[in-house]
């Protein structure tokens, strides 16, 4: 997967389009990423000992990786991700400016 934890991304589709955030966790097998504050839903919580009245909580759900674009740390624009092989290692690079991504 081309997007990793800690990457800054821009949402390109859905109700949160044009918002930006940092990936908290990546789920490569599912093809999803978790970005706090994006794709927020309300979840019903039944009464418990800690919260006897119950209620609703807001929770961020994972968003599909096809709905986000990586923001390059060098040029600061949303970009596609390319790969290059240097010294036997596979490195990610920006398709717009050609700089290596961390």
């Amino acid at each position: 997967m081309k997007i990793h934890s800690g990457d800054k991304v821009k949402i390109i589709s859905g109700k949160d389009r044009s918002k930006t955030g940092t990936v908290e966790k990546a789920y490569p097998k599912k093809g999803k990423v978790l970005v706090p504050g994006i794709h927020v839903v309300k979840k019903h919580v039944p009464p418990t000992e800690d919260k006897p009245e119950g209620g609703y909580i807001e929770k961020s759900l994972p968003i599909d990786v096809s709905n986000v674009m990586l923001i390059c740390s060098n040029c600061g624009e949303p970009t596609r991700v390319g790969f290059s092989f240097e010294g036997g290692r596979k490195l990610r690079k920006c398709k717009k400016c050609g700089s290596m991504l961390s």
Side-chain angles (χ1 to χ4, degrees):
M1 197 160 75
K2 297 178 180 183
I3 306 226
H4 302 210
S5 296
D7 287 344
K8 190 166 179 151
V9 293
K10 181 176 183 177
I11 310 303
I12 58 172
S13 68
K15 66 179 183 177
D16 295 317
R17 183 181 20 210
S18 78
K19 289 184 181 178
T20 60
T22 305
V23 175
E24 185 177 282
K25 191 167 182 182
Y27 302 98
K29 288 186 179 180
K30 294 180 181 179
K32 295 182 181 273
V33 292
L34 181 65
V35 183
I38 305 295
H39 195 147
V40 177
V41 296
K42 287 185 178 179
K43 182 180 178 190
H44 176 72
V45 178
T48 61
E49 290 181 10
D50 297 336
K51 210 174 186 185
E53 69 278 354
Y56 296 98
I57 61 168
E58 290 190 349
K59 180 179 180 181
S60 290
L61 294 180
I63 187 170
D64 198 78
V65 76
S66 66
N67 296 333
V68 299
M69 280 188 87
L70 184 66
I71 296 177
C72 178
S73 55
N74 190 27
C75 62
E77 294 184 23
T79 183
R80 292 178 295 138
V81 179
F83 292 102
S84 66
F85 297 93
E86 293 180 13
R89 290 181 27 187
K90 186 176 180 181
L91 301 173
R92 299 184 300 163
K93 71 176 188 177
C94 173
K95 284 282 198 171
K96 285 191 178 179
C97 66
S99 67
M100 293 299 163
L101 299 169
S102 57

